[in-house]
Amino acid sequence: MSNTLKTTKLDFSLVKPYFKVIGFTMLLPVAFAAINRSLLTGVSFAMCFIAMTTGYTFSITEKNSMERLYGILPIKKSEIVTGRYLFVLALGALALAVSLIIQPVVLRAMGESVGTLDIISAAIGGLFLFALYTVFQIPGYYKYGAIKGRVFMYIPVAGFLATLFFLPKIPEDNPIVITIANSPALLIVLAIVLIIVMYAVSIWFSVRIMENKEM
């Protein structure tokens, strides 16, 4: 576990110069939420933006040929992979927390009603979308690299546009929507279980890819 945390800290160090840019991108979803007067839309947009930064560590590592450094470090490839996932999850959790603090304040200042259920729905929706994006992105980057696999950077964009298209088409009297509205705890449990399963499968694929690579 200590080696995993060390690789996570290394990833934070690599991306540290980009923190100002990442912080700026978090302001754009706030404006988007204000324009659309929707917390769910704003949080989804924020998670889309932050998911697009997943490739930063892969890009920096590839451009500076840091695979050799990882190769001489006394750590397992599986620890490198889990450390990278932990870094991505930490970045996503930070972006989600910031969005859930700032966006409701802005919406309420504009006269919009933002209740507890709205916040829970936005949190679960944002977390699920972020997971859905990154579980495909990370194995793709490990397989093809940051340069050849740059197409994976646009997965969040496609996912967010699909969300904008399909979300308004779901009727409020849909049985699933009614069940979720009446049982937010069920929504949380289902989402967490699904997210854990998705990441477990994604990590397994990434580890397999890394084990077949020379460092």
Side-chain angles (χ1 to χ4, degrees):
M1 184 63 181
S2 60
N3 286 337
T4 298
L5 293 176
K6 288 178 181 177
T7 59
T8 302
K9 290 180 180 179
L10 178 58
D11 284 345
F12 269 108
S13 298
L14 293 176
V15 180
K16 190 175 181 179
Y18 298 92
F19 279 168
K20 289 183 179 180
V21 176
I22 295 174
F24 176 73
T25 61
M26 287 297 96
L27 297 178
L28 297 178
V30 175
F32 197 79
I35 293 172
N36 288 272
R37 295 181 179 269
S38 169
L39 179 62
L40 179 59
T41 303
V43 171
S44 299
F45 194 36
M47 302 316 287
C48 167
F49 261 113
I50 204 67
M52 292 180 68
T53 66
T54 302
Y56 281 7
T57 47
F58 290 94
S59 178
I60 296 170
T61 300
E62 188 172 331
K63 287 180 180 179
N64 294 280
S65 301
M66 293 185 66
E67 291 85 358
R68 297 178 181 179
L69 172 62
Y70 285 108
I72 62 175
L73 292 176
I75 54 178
K76 299 177 182 178
K77 291 181 178 180
S78 60
E79 292 173 330
I80 296 175
V81 171
T82 51
R84 180 64 53 82
Y85 274 87
L86 187 58
F87 164 75
V88 170
L89 285 171
L91 202 60
L94 180 61
L96 183 62
V98 171
S99 299
L100 292 176
I101 292 172
I102 297 178
Q103 292 187 23
V105 172
V106 172
L107 288 172
R108 284 167 179 164
M110 296 176 63
E112 293 294 323
S113 176
V114 181
T116 302
L117 183 60
D118 296 317
I119 296 175
I120 292 175
S121 300
I124 296 301
L127 185 60
F128 178 78
L129 289 174
F130 180 77
L132 191 62
Y133 304 150
T134 54
V135 294
F136 290 104
Q137 282 182 307
I138 299 176
Y141 284 132
Y142 273 123
K143 179 68 175 179
Y144 299 103
I147 298 176
K148 292 182 179 179
R150 67 182 61 181
V151 65
F152 291 99
M153 182 181 71
Y154 300 104
I155 288 179
V157 177
F160 178 68
L161 292 176
T163 301
L164 285 181
F165 179 77
F166 288 109
L167 194 60
K169 296 182 180 296
I170 301 176
E172 294 184 359
D173 59 350
N174 186 292
I176 297 177
V177 175
I178 295 175
T179 302
I180 291 174
N182 294 329
S183 305
L186 177 62
L187 170 64
I188 295 172
V189 172
L190 289 176
I192 291 176
V193 170
L194 188 55
I195 289 169
I196 290 174
V197 171
M198 288 194 300
Y199 272 116
V201 174
S202 181
I203 291 172
W204 183 83
F205 273 108
S206 294
V207 170
R208 290 291 299 272
I209 293 170
M210 278 291 287
E211 288 178 345
N212 293 325
K213 280 189 173 183
E214 294 184 3
M215 295 181 65

